[in-house]
Amino acid sequence: MKKNVIKLMMVSGLLLTFLGCSDDFVNENPESGFQNVNQFGDIAEANPEILTGFISGVYANMYLTGTGGTTGHDDFGHKAYDLFADFLSSDVALSVSTYGWYRASITEMQCTEDFTFTDNYQVWRHYYRIIRSANLLIATLGGDEADPEDETNRATLGQALAMRAHSYWYLTQYMQNDYNPSQEILPLYRTASPIGVGKSTAAEIFELIESDLNRAIVLLENFNRSNKSQVNKEVAQGILAYVIASQRDVSRMPEVVALCDAVIANSGASVMTAAEVTGGFNNVNTPGWIWGFDITGETGLRLVSWWGQMDAFSYSYAWAGDAKAIDRNLYDAIPANDARKAQFFAGSGYYNLMPLDKFYDASRIIGGPSGNVVADYVYMRIAEMHILKAESLAKMGQDGPARTALRVVLDQRLPDTSYLNGLSGQALLDEIHLQTRIEFWGEGKTYLAIKRNATSTGVRGNNHLSFVGESIMHNEERFTFEIPELEIQSNVLINEQN
């Protein structure tokens, strides 16, 4: 394990050196520009291991610090933006703020109305960084439509396509106020060309996302991944299910259901038990996780990490003075006999409603043990597929099957789910949305559900520091990030916000 981690870090370091930082971009190129594919081809030819190791470097962007282009303690890869989204959704409350992280820019929603805030740049830079590294790998392997004979190369291309799609999809969610297929929203790069482009329509972006994922599913057919950090066929199918659902076309809900069923049937994963959902969410080998990252001491994460912001049992801001808690109103909506109620500290003072029994380092030492973070990151769980399936069936008017799909999860949470029998139509959809918020609290999923269902946040409880009593609609300006100032300054083809 230690040798593999060291090798990964070496590859990741070479990748990040090759990709460079903002200083490496020429002024006339946009911040989302790319390096020369021939340079990478030369490196790959000189060291054949780079070609297979490069995809590990792509994944490294998901957890490494600084991938949003800053040295901030809120810049730590994909999970950083899960946390941004959780704050915006109102489900995560910043209940005490001593050090100021997230205080004005995110929880007061200043950045989403002012493109000069660095948070916009971080979101943009992080996902375009993955896109450009995936594009380099795709180009090296022959392009979008390549059909490598070698199984290793097929799997590498499939993973690169899936990661490009995943990043573009997150950008559509974070950068467009409301789904409108004809609106121009993002520059679309599908090659390793360094030339800047203007914005493409949402329809064009989604067409590429779906094409990438469908191609990835084919290429990953025979891929047996070595660890859960890698995208396999089932993870690609799960991402595609989300992508289709987010376009709100009821006629396509059968596709979402079919994809969810395929993941459920073939992933080998099982819904986390009541014991597991109060077990710390710290082990990638948990049977209910289908995509995540195994963090070890050699990974080098500590304070600047998701755990460093969220977990009172890590060396963290959550311990030292920036408390993150469940929204009071959402907590009150969880039944007393629901296993998930016990995830949150029901007391008084600083730790009130913090997730002390959902997310925690296994040591259970307040303030954390000495040394680096070793608790793992979760990106996707099988429970997501069951609840997304229930949501899609309910939108199709298939209330009975929707209730059955939802029960697969709730039977592990509640002693009695008979109340579901009385729910249908909008009441059932509302219950599924509520269960999404409860089940995936703190995992970055509620924001996506709010956008997907064109709904609003819950009414903010009294343990927030801002906007108490307010509910925010999915398409409000303050709910969506801005195209960053640097992109508009450096890309002459983009001169206005979405």
Side-chain angles (χ1 to χ4, degrees):
M1 173 64 74
K2 184 174 181 180
K3 290 180 180 179
N4 289 338
V5 169
I6 292 172
K7 180 178 178 181
L8 170 59
M9 297 303 292
M10 290 175 64
V11 172
S12 300
L14 178 56
L15 166 64
L16 296 176
T17 300
F18 177 72
L19 289 176
C21 299
S22 58
D23 292 343
D24 296 325
F25 300 137
V26 292
N27 292 333
E28 62 267 24
N29 284 349
E31 176 60 18
S32 50
F34 301 93
Q35 297 285 348
N36 191 318
V37 69
N38 292 328
Q39 292 175 303
F40 177 67
D42 291 343
I43 294 173
E45 184 176 352
N47 187 346
E49 284 194 5
I50 293 298
L51 193 59
T52 55
F54 188 82
I55 192 64
S56 296
V58 176
Y59 291 130
N61 285 286
M62 296 279 281
Y63 66 85
L64 287 178
T65 62
T67 58
T70 77
T71 57
H73 289 193
D74 58 353
D75 187 344
F76 43 83
H78 177 65
K79 295 298 290 182
Y81 311 112
D82 277 352
L83 186 51
F84 276 16
D86 279 328
F87 280 126
L88 292 177
S89 77
S90 299
D91 282 358
V92 172
L94 183 65
S95 56
V96 180
S97 178
T98 301
Y99 296 94
W101 292 107
Y102 309 102
R103 178 72 178 96
S105 60
I106 298 294
T107 65
E108 293 182 358
M109 300 184 176
Q110 293 182 23
C111 76
T112 51
E113 296 189 283
D114 184 345
F115 76 153
T116 66
F117 272 74
T118 304
D119 308 80
N120 300 295
Y121 171 76
Q122 284 182 224
V123 174
W124 186 271
R125 171 67 179 267
H126 170 77
Y127 290 107
Y128 271 114
R129 188 186 191 101
I130 293 176
I131 288 166
R132 74 171 179 261
S133 56
N135 275 338
L136 283 163
L137 186 51
I138 291 165
T140 303
L141 288 167
D144 297 8
E145 303 301 322
D147 191 23
E149 293 184 5
D150 180 80
E151 286 295 340
T152 299
N153 286 342
R154 289 178 69 82
T156 301
L157 179 58
Q159 292 171 80
L161 289 167
M163 288 302 297
R164 179 170 74 175
H166 180 263
S167 291
Y168 268 127
W169 179 65
Y170 266 90
L171 284 168
T172 68
Q173 302 307 287
Y174 287 152
M175 295 290 171
Q176 187 178 28
N177 287 359
D178 201 0
Y179 178 66
N180 175 357
S182 63
Q183 182 187 12
E184 294 182 343
I185 58 170
L186 299 170
L188 189 153
Y189 297 91
R190 60 185 303 167
T191 70
S193 169
I195 299 174
V197 298
K199 291 190 287 188
S200 293
T201 65
E204 292 168 329
I205 301 291
F206 272 94
E207 181 180 8
L208 177 64
I209 292 170
E210 290 196 39
S211 174
D212 279 355
L213 289 168
N214 281 310
R215 185 73 189 129
I217 289 166
V218 172
L219 292 167
L220 295 170
E221 177 66 36
N222 299 318
F223 175 52
N224 293 314
R225 62 184 179 178
S226 59
N227 60 76
K228 287 185 182 179
S229 72
Q230 299 168 316
V231 172
N232 63 4
K233 179 181 177 181
E234 287 72 38
V235 171
Q237 289 172 318
I239 299 169
L240 182 56
Y242 273 125
V243 167
I244 296 173
S246 67
Q247 295 170 73
R248 305 182 196 154
D249 184 347
V250 175
S251 71
R252 299 194 67 189
M253 291 303 106
E255 295 177 58
V256 179
V257 172
L259 286 163
C260 290
D261 279 339
V263 178
I264 292 165
N266 299 315
S267 66
S270 56
V271 173
M272 292 176 71
T273 65
E276 287 172 335
V277 297
T278 55
F281 277 75
N282 52 36
N283 189 344
V284 74
N285 293 318
T286 303
W289 295 20
I290 56 177
W291 190 24
F293 185 75
D294 181 12
I295 297 174
T296 69
E298 287 79 11
T299 309
L301 297 183
R302 201 175 186 200
L303 180 63
V304 184
S305 65
W306 185 89
W307 292 98
Q309 287 290 352
M310 283 291 289
D311 175 33
F313 296 99
S314 295
Y315 178 73
S316 67
Y317 286 101
W319 154 66
D322 285 355
K324 288 86 174 179
I326 186 173
D327 172 88
R328 163 65 73 177
N329 293 338
L330 179 58
Y331 176 79
D332 289 345
I334 305 174
N337 60 354
D338 189 319
R340 297 166 298 187
K341 192 92 168 181
Q343 293 174 330
F344 306 98
F345 178 69
S348 60
Y350 176 79
Y351 292 108
N352 188 36
L353 299 187
M354 287 178 64
L356 300 187
D357 287 290
K358 179 170 184 177
F359 302 119
Y360 55 82
D361 180 84
S363 70
R364 299 289 281 176
I365 300 170
I366 289 289
S370 61
N372 293 333
V373 169
V374 295
D376 299 336
Y377 281 167
V378 58
Y379 301 144
M380 186 184 290
R381 294 199 274 136
I382 196 63
E384 297 173 44
M385 298 296 102
H386 289 285
I387 295 182
L388 182 60
K389 175 184 174 181
E391 177 186 293
S392 302
L393 287 166
K395 289 177 179 177
M396 295 161 58
Q398 295 189 25
D399 293 340
R403 290 191 293 266
T404 299
L406 185 58
R407 276 196 173 94
V408 175
V409 176
L410 294 193
D411 282 346
Q412 297 283 352
R413 311 286 177 257
L414 291 160
D416 182 9
T417 59
S418 61
Y419 78 96
L420 291 175
N421 296 334
L423 300 180
S424 61
Q426 188 59 49
L428 179 57
L429 280 168
D430 290 345
E431 179 65 17
I432 293 168
H433 185 68
L434 174 61
Q435 293 303 327
T436 299
R437 295 174 63 196
I438 296 170
E439 179 69 21
F440 306 115
W441 184 90
E443 298 176 55
K445 308 301 179 184
T446 295
Y447 182 93
L448 303 175
I450 291 170
K451 285 288 185 82
R452 182 171 69 244
N453 295 311
T455 186
S456 64
T457 66
V459 175
R460 282 199 176 196
N462 60 14
N463 59 334
H464 286 265
L465 299 178
S466 308
F467 306 126
V468 171
E470 292 193 31
S471 179
I472 301 161
M473 284 300 298
H474 73 284
N475 56 359
E476 287 189 40
E477 185 71 20
R478 58 180 172 165
F479 198 63
T480 302
F481 292 97
E482 300 266 85
I483 296 175
E485 179 182 29
L486 184 58
E487 179 71 17
I488 290 178
Q489 288 177 340
S490 56
N491 187 346
V492 296
L493 298 176
I494 297 179
N495 53 31
E496 62 181 11
Q497 290 295 333
N498 291 339

